[in-house]
Amino acid sequence: MKLKQLITALSLGFAAISASATPLDALTGNLNIKLVGLTTEANTAAGTNETTWGVGNITSISGTGGQQWFSGQSDGTYLYYMIYGIADQNIVFDQNTGKFSIYNIGATGGAADGQIHLDIYRSNKNLLELTSNFNASPGQRTGYDSFSLFAGMEKYLEVEFRAGKQLDNVAGGDNPDADERLATLVQTATSKTLPAAGEGQFFGDVVGGTARAQWDTNSLFGHDLDGKFTLSTNGRDFGSGTCTAAQVANNTCFTGLINDPIRAVKVPEPGSLALLGLGFAGLAGLRRRRAAK
């Protein structure tokens, strides 16, 4: 093989990695995932003890080495999600802060399976209800794990929440017999119910989806995702959102807004690894040819 061809093969291998650092499939390493979303306590799944669920979109993903993916801009794709199966295990009022510590576990009963779920979908559709207008309706939920806007979309990742660093068993609250060490979603909020403001954290494990192999790394305290988020009100009478007081009263609007990042680690797609290997193979061939001379 001529020197020019070998150099071309090598450069293609590296270029495939660097140039595809923006497209979703080629993001690798430590990543910071920015999301926004809507939460509600309306239209919870019948037959379950589910208390809260929501939908939203991932706006950007950034990583080391200048990696950056922007929803709809970098490769024409969008990522949406549905979070569901959240059940209140115990709610403890803190007199010192005036806030509520809410410990959540997976819902049971009916179609619920005892897990809090985060399903992420990939599509080339721009759903304005979730990317700009934020006027999706709780009534668009069509099942325990389905939302009408996501029908027919690729299920990119299936994530289940797991117990993380919650080490203390707290006395008192709505359920004094609860063991808060089992909580898989921990929140601090200004109210027991929405609309409320506060923050929360969780750990998630990837259990399915078309991209499971790349995201199932167990790299963050033994989990795949390390999530922290803020919670604010989605009501014109409470904050800067879109819900009217009437909509909040009759449960026809998503009354909570969620924001902020999730951390994750992603390994390269097999195709990207193959291209990089091609480049190294070309370099090795060049070295052998020079040695032979």
Side-chain angles (χ1 to χ4, degrees), residues 37-242:
L38 302 163
T39 60
T40 182
E41 292 167 354
N43 198 22
T44 52
T48 73
N49 63 343
E50 182 184 57
T51 57
T52 312
W53 63 280
V55 293
N57 75 295
I58 294 173
T59 60
S60 65
I61 303 176
S62 58
T64 57
Q67 299 179 75
Q68 192 74 56
W69 176 87
F70 290 103
S71 174
Q73 300 178 26
S74 298
D75 53 11
T77 63
Y78 299 83
L79 291 177
Y80 305 102
Y81 67 87
M82 178 176 181
I83 181 172
Y84 57 98
I86 302 172
D88 293 339
Q89 182 195 34
N90 196 16
I91 304 176
V92 182
F93 179 69
D94 188 335
Q95 293 182 342
N96 295 322
T97 64
K99 295 182 178 181
F100 296 88
S101 296
I102 305 176
Y103 302 92
N104 298 115
I105 56 176
T108 57
D113 58 0
Q115 303 290 343
I116 297 178
H117 294 269
L118 175 68
D119 292 346
I120 301 175
Y121 296 85
R122 177 164 62 176
S123 174
N124 58 2
K125 298 179 182 178
N126 183 8
L127 304 177
L128 297 178
E129 298 95 329
L130 297 178
T131 59
S132 58
N133 296 338
F134 297 103
N135 62 352
S137 167
Q140 291 174 283
R141 186 178 189 177
T142 55
Y144 177 64
D145 59 353
S146 58
F147 193 71
S148 62
L149 293 177
F150 304 151
M153 289 186 181
E154 170 195 352
K155 189 172 284 189
Y156 183 69
L157 288 177
E158 297 177 11
V159 180
E160 293 179 355
F161 288 15
R162 297 285 189 261
K165 294 185 289 186
Q166 181 61 31
L167 303 177
D168 297 327
N169 190 20
V170 180
D174 293 2
N175 182 9
D177 296 327
D179 184 351
E180 289 82 7
R181 292 171 297 187
L182 303 177
T184 56
L185 173 65
V186 181
Q187 304 175 72
T188 301
T190 56
S191 171
K192 287 186 178 182
T193 58
L194 291 171
E199 59 187 8
Q201 59 183 3
F202 65 88
F203 288 98
D205 290 340
V206 174
V207 297
T210 58
R212 174 179 179 174
Q214 281 67 56
W215 293 88
D216 187 5
T217 61
N218 298 321
S219 301
L220 298 167
F221 306 100
H223 303 285
D224 304 313
L225 304 176
D226 177 7
K228 298 180 184 295
F229 62 90
T230 56
L231 174 68
S232 59
T233 57
N234 181 30
R236 283 177 282 191
D237 295 345
F238 309 101
S240 58
T242 59

